[in-house]
Amino acid sequence: MVSLDTVQIPNRSLFRQPEVCEIAQVQPYVLRSWEAEFPDLGVAKTAGGPRVYRRADLERVLRIKHLLFVEGLTLAGARRRLADEAPGSNGEATPLDDLLTSDARERIRSVRQSLRELAAMLAKAPGATLESSEFELVAAPSRVKRAPAVKVKPAAATKAKKSKKK
């Protein structure tokens, strides 16, 4: 069996499907079935080209293979294990949490609250009274532009002019 530690992954960022199958030592149909079971596997099919995998996807394929063939887990068990191993799933701080200051978090909370209030207003029936809103949505007056008037000559007048020219 191939383990993640013993596999030499070329130092590239993208891999074609045959390369992934060769490195992981799995058949293409197995890889495609794992794509269906693990939608976040990250396959990107180029326009008219082959399936392309990132380095992280290749490492994930090797991890899935290890969970299934070495540890003997089912696909559902492997999916649960990968979800448990995912960053942020066990309460650890994610890199995004480190970047957000308390001011940014407060602004996000404020925007979230405003969006909730807006959603509540939009969910109300038209004409319903607003209880504690600071503003009211009013339909804008319609401004219809009129096309300039076109003068149309009567058909009899144009026929008479044509007959005079002959």
Side-chain angles (χ1 to χ4, degrees):
M1 272 302 132
V2 176
S3 122
L4 186 57
D5 300 330
T6 61
V7 174
Q8 293 295 324
I9 300 174
N11 191 16
R12 294 194 327 244
S13 58
L14 295 176
F15 300 89
R16 292 183 358 254
Q17 183 185 27
E19 295 169 323
V20 173
C21 290
E22 182 180 331
I23 292 168
Q25 296 179 353
V26 295
Q27 294 293 319
Y29 73 91
V30 173
L31 189 57
R32 285 191 302 272
S33 71
W34 289 353
E35 291 171 17
E37 291 293 326
F38 300 91
D40 56 338
L41 195 53
V43 176
K45 188 167 183 180
T46 58
R51 288 174 151 78
V52 180
Y53 298 81
R54 299 173 306 229
R55 183 179 184 86
D57 296 325
L58 175 57
E59 292 170 353
R60 190 168 170 92
V61 165
L62 293 170
R63 180 67 179 137
I64 291 169
K65 181 178 179 183
H66 179 80
L67 292 173
L68 295 176
F69 297 138
V70 176
E71 295 188 23
L73 296 176
T74 63
L75 286 171
R79 192 178 309 109
R80 279 193 297 274
R81 176 77 61 88
L82 289 172
D84 291 343
E85 293 172 356
S89 64
N90 54 4
E92 295 177 5
T94 62
L96 183 61
D97 289 338
D98 297 338
L99 295 175
L100 293 176
T101 63
S102 60
D103 181 45
R105 286 188 182 128
E106 185 57 37
R107 288 193 323 231
I108 291 171
R109 280 189 206 103
S110 172
V111 168
R112 184 181 296 147
Q113 181 62 32
S114 298
L115 289 172
R116 285 185 183 136
E117 290 171 2
L118 183 60
M121 284 191 323
L122 292 173
K124 291 183 181 181
T129 59
L130 301 172
E131 297 100 37
S132 63
S133 293
E134 297 176 13
F135 59 91
E136 181 179 337
L137 296 177
V138 178
S142 62
R143 295 181 185 167
V144 178
K145 288 188 176 181
R146 297 180 189 252
V150 178
K151 294 184 179 181
V152 179
K153 296 181 180 179
T158 35
K159 286 182 184 177
K161 284 185 181 179
K162 285 182 184 178
S163 63
K164 289 181 183 178
K165 288 183 182 179
K166 291 183 185 177

